[in-house]
Amino acid sequence: MHEMSLLQGILDSVTPVARENHATKVTKIVLDIGVMTQVVEEVMDFDYKILTEDDPLYSGSELVMNFLTPRSRCFDCGEEFEHDRFHLKCPKCGSSATMLLSGRELKIASIEIDTPDDVDEP
Ligand SMILES: [Zn+2]
C-alpha cells in the first residue's frame, strides 16, 4: 500500500529539522492522520520499523499515530457532522450530497529529539 511512501516523505521532512536542531537522535514522531486516508496503523508500525531500524538517527524511536475523526458538511441542510470512513450521509436529513471538511490530512503533529546538550543557556 501507500504507507511506505507516506513514511518516507515524513522522514524526509523530519530529518532536516532534526539536523538543524543538532539532534543526536529522533526519539518520537507524532502524526495526525485523518481516517479517510485509509492508512492502516499496523502497516505504518511495520513499515516504520523497516525504514528506521538501520538508521542511527531513528533507531529505537517511537511512532505515535493520532487518528482524527472525519467531519463533513451537508449541502442540503448545512449540518456539519462527524462520521466514520463508511458513513458519509447527513444524519439530520439523510442527504448524501455532502462535502468532506477534514479527514484526509496526514501531518506531523510533533517530534521529540535528543540533543548533546539539553541545557545551553548563557
Ligand atoms: Zn442534511
Side-chain angles (χ1 to χ4, degrees):
M1 276 297 288
H2 58 324
E3 279 85 353
M4 190 66 95
S5 55
L6 287 173
L7 283 168
Q8 190 60 60
I10 287 159
L11 295 180
D12 287 348
S13 307
V14 170
T15 300
V17 176
R19 296 241 164 85
E20 273 168 35
N21 289 283
H22 311 290
T24 51
K25 253 192 179 317
V26 174
T27 55
K28 190 195 263 189
I29 300 178
V30 182
L31 301 178
D32 284 342
I33 304 171
V35 305
M36 302 303 283
T37 57
Q38 306 192 13
V39 161
V40 180
E41 186 169 12
E42 289 74 17
V43 178
M44 289 287 275
D45 264 333
F46 186 77
D47 289 350
Y48 185 76
K49 286 201 177 71
I50 292 172
L51 279 173
T52 59
E53 63 185 355
D54 294 327
D55 187 332
L57 185 62
Y58 290 99
S59 66
S61 65
E62 185 186 2
L63 181 68
V64 177
M65 290 168 268
N66 299 319
F67 282 90
L68 307 179
T69 305
R71 287 182 64 81
S72 286
R73 180 187 295 134
C74 175
F75 282 119
D76 288 327
C77 74
E79 177 81 354
E80 286 188 15
F81 56 98
E82 294 188 339
H83 54 84
D84 64 22
R85 212 205 299 180
F86 306 106
H87 298 86
L88 303 174
K89 281 189 178 176
C90 175
K92 201 169 169 190
C93 73
S95 171
S96 50
T98 59
M99 180 181 71
L100 195 66
L101 298 174
S102 63
R104 279 195 217 278
E105 55 275 87
L106 196 156
K107 59 186 180 193
I108 300 162
S110 65
I111 67 171
E112 288 179 18
I113 56 173
D114 277 346
T115 53
D117 294 304
D118 278 329
V119 182
D120 190 24
E121 286 169 18

